[in-house]
Amino acid sequence: MKWHAYITWTLVAGASAPLSAMAADTNAPAKSIFLMPANPNEGRDPFFPNSMRPYQDSSSHQRVVDLTSLQIKGYSEIAGRKYVIINNHTFAEGDEGDVLTPGGRVHLRCLAVSVDSVLVESNGARHLLKF
C-alpha cells in the first residue's frame, strides 16, 4: 500500500511542475507565420510535392474577359422589376451569376437594366449591352 501511494504522489508532484510553468505562458499571444515558398528548395506542397503551383505569382494570371460575346436573348418586366436574359442566364439589377461564352465561363454582375440596354460588370470592367 505504501509503494502505490509513493508512485501516485511522485507522478502528481512531477506533473504539477510543468503545468505551472505552462500556465505562466498562457497570457502570451500565439504567433503563427506562414510564408509562401519562392522556389522548391524553400518548401513543397505535402500533398502534391511535384506541383509548381505554390511558386507561381497569381496576380499575373488574371484572365482577360471578352465581353463582346455576351448577347441579350430576352427582356421582361414583372411587377415593376426588369429582367434580362444574357447568354441563357436571367438577371435583374444587382444579380450576379456565371454565363457561358466561347472563351469559357464568365462571372457577371448586372448593374442596370433598361428597355434598350443592360450595363454589366465583370472583373472590374463594365460593358453596355444593347438589344
Side-chain angles (χ1 to χ4, degrees), residues 53-72:
R53 181 194 46 81
Y55 322 113
Q56 298 171 349
D57 184 17
S58 63
S59 62
S60 64
H61 294 287
Q62 288 185 349
R63 187 171 59 126
V64 177
V65 179
D66 181 21
L67 298 179
T68 58
S69 63
L70 299 177
Q71 296 177 353
I72 298 174

Side-chain angles (χ1 to χ4, degrees), residues 40-98:
N41 294 333
E42 292 181 4
R44 295 180 181 264
D45 184 338
F47 299 104
F48 300 97
N50 296 329
S51 173
M52 297 304 288
R53 181 194 46 81
Y55 322 113
Q56 298 171 349
D57 184 17
S58 63
S59 62
S60 64
H61 294 287
Q62 288 185 349
R63 187 171 59 126
V64 177
V65 179
D66 181 21
L67 298 179
T68 58
S69 63
L70 299 177
Q71 296 177 353
I72 298 174
K73 304 280 185 163
Y75 169 84
S76 64
E77 188 172 343
I78 302 171
R81 189 162 181 188
K82 299 173 185 173
Y83 296 93
V84 67
I85 300 173
I86 302 172
N87 290 23
N88 298 329
H89 190 283
T90 305
F91 291 94
E93 282 187 21
D95 288 349
E96 292 188 29
D98 293 339

